[in-house]
Amino acid sequence: GWPTFKHMLPEVALVGHSNCGKSTLVNSLVGVDARKGPARVSERAGWTDAIYWYQLGKKPPKLTLVDAPGYGHAVAQRAQVDHWTKTTRSFLVDR
């Protein structure tokens, strides 16, 4: 199943095309430089290879951002892209 947190908060899921800036947006919303934030970013499409959760705000946190793998032109094996697609679809339906 999907993770549960001590603080179950509203979630905003960032889902979109590969290399469109989803992880950069996470870092910007955290308030840090795009390359120094908690979300890994790269020039290579397909760097985000799993679903990542980031809880934002002072203790207690106020919002959860969900960074999902992209779709489209990720630089990865077909089986890996298919797994990302299945996982993301499952998250959107079940969460």
Side-chain angles (χ1 to χ4, degrees), residues 9-95:
L9 307 168
E11 290 182 344
V12 175
L14 304 173
V15 180
H17 205 271
S18 298
N19 216 34
C20 73
K22 296 178 299 296
S23 298
T24 300
L25 178 60
V26 167
N27 290 337
S28 295
L29 292 172
V30 170
V32 297
D33 181 81
R35 299 227 179 250
K36 296 182 181 174
R40 298 180 332 189
V41 296
S42 172
E43 298 297 321
R44 180 181 66 84
W47 190 251
T48 302
D49 58 359
I51 296 176
Y52 295 96
W53 283 262
Y54 302 97
Q55 290 196 320
L56 305 181
K58 302 292 180 191
K59 295 179 183 178
K62 307 290 185 218
L63 176 72
T64 300
L65 291 179
V66 183
D67 190 11
Y71 56 85
H73 60 272
V75 180
Q77 297 291 323
R78 182 79 233 162
Q80 184 66 40
V81 173
D82 290 344
H83 173 72
W84 296 339
T85 301
K86 179 181 172 190
T87 302
T88 300
R89 189 170 290 141
S90 173
F91 167 78
L92 293 172
V93 169
D94 298 335
R95 186 71 171 190

